[in-house]
Amino acid sequence: MPRAANDVMQSILFSAVLEGIAALKRASGGLPNQLLRDVQAIHPNVTFADLPKELQDQLAESTRAAFTQLLKEGYAVGPRQQMQATRPMDRVPERPRHGTGAPDRRGPPRGPRRPQGDRGPNDRGPGGPGRGPGGGPGGGRPRKPKGKPRLG
C-alpha cells in the first residue's frame, strides 16, 4: 500500500535534520565550543554559503535523497507547467460543465419563476427583509424626539 505524502515528507525531513546535526558535529571536530558557535551562527537570515562546508554538502545530499525517495514512493516531481500538462490516466473523468450541451441532471426548476422586478412579501428594499427604505441601520424616517421640546 502506498504511503501518504505526509508520511513520506515527514520521513524525509526527519532524516535530513538528523543528518544535518551529524554534519554539524563533524564540522566542529568534536569540540563542544565550536559546535555551539556553529549552531548559534544559524539564524533566519543565514545564507547557504555561511554554513559550514560539511553541512552544505549534507544539505545537497539530503535534497537529492528527498527527490529520489519521493520518486520511489510513486510521487511525481517536476516543474509545475510540465506536471499540469500531463494528467494521470487513472483520474475520474471530469463531469461536463453547465452549458456545454450535456443534459442537466438537476431536473426542472421547482415552483413558478418570478419576474425580475417582482419582490416577495418580505423583501422591502435594498437592505432585505425587515429593513426600512434606506436599507441599512438608521435608514428611513427620522424618529420623533422624546421628552419636552427644547427651545433654543
Side-chain angles (χ1 to χ4, degrees):
M1 185 167 105
R3 289 173 37 192
N6 189 37
D7 294 338
V8 174
M9 286 305 298
Q10 186 177 11
S11 170
I12 289 170
L13 290 174
F14 184 71
S15 296
V17 168
L18 290 179
E19 292 165 359
I21 292 170
L24 277 172
K25 285 182 178 179
R26 281 193 307 273
S28 70
L31 301 172
N33 288 344
Q34 184 61 39
L35 176 61
L36 186 59
R37 279 191 213 107
D38 288 344
V39 169
Q40 288 178 337
I42 298 172
H43 53 83
N45 294 328
V46 72
T47 63
F48 188 75
D50 294 337
L51 298 173
K53 178 74 171 122
E54 290 83 358
L55 184 56
Q56 290 177 15
D57 295 341
Q58 187 57 52
L59 287 173
E61 177 59 33
S62 293
T63 304
R64 282 191 295 273
F67 281 111
T68 303
Q69 183 67 27
L70 284 170
L71 291 171
K72 236 187 250 183
E73 292 288 338
Y75 290 96
V77 180
R80 177 178 288 188
Q81 292 83 10
Q82 181 183 3
M83 299 314 297
Q84 287 177 346
T86 59
R87 299 280 181 160
M89 295 306 290
D90 60 347
R91 282 186 59 195
V92 175
E94 292 187 18
R95 286 190 243 155
R97 301 277 185 232
H98 184 64
T100 58
D104 190 6
R105 296 187 305 171
R106 293 181 291 182
R110 299 177 188 210
R113 286 186 67 124
R114 294 189 307 194
Q116 193 71 359
D118 189 21
R119 292 188 179 143
N122 291 330
D123 191 8
R124 296 189 185 159
R131 299 275 185 177
R141 190 178 337 164
R143 295 184 189 182
K144 292 182 182 178
K146 294 183 180 181
K148 295 183 182 178
R150 293 185 189 186
L151 297 176

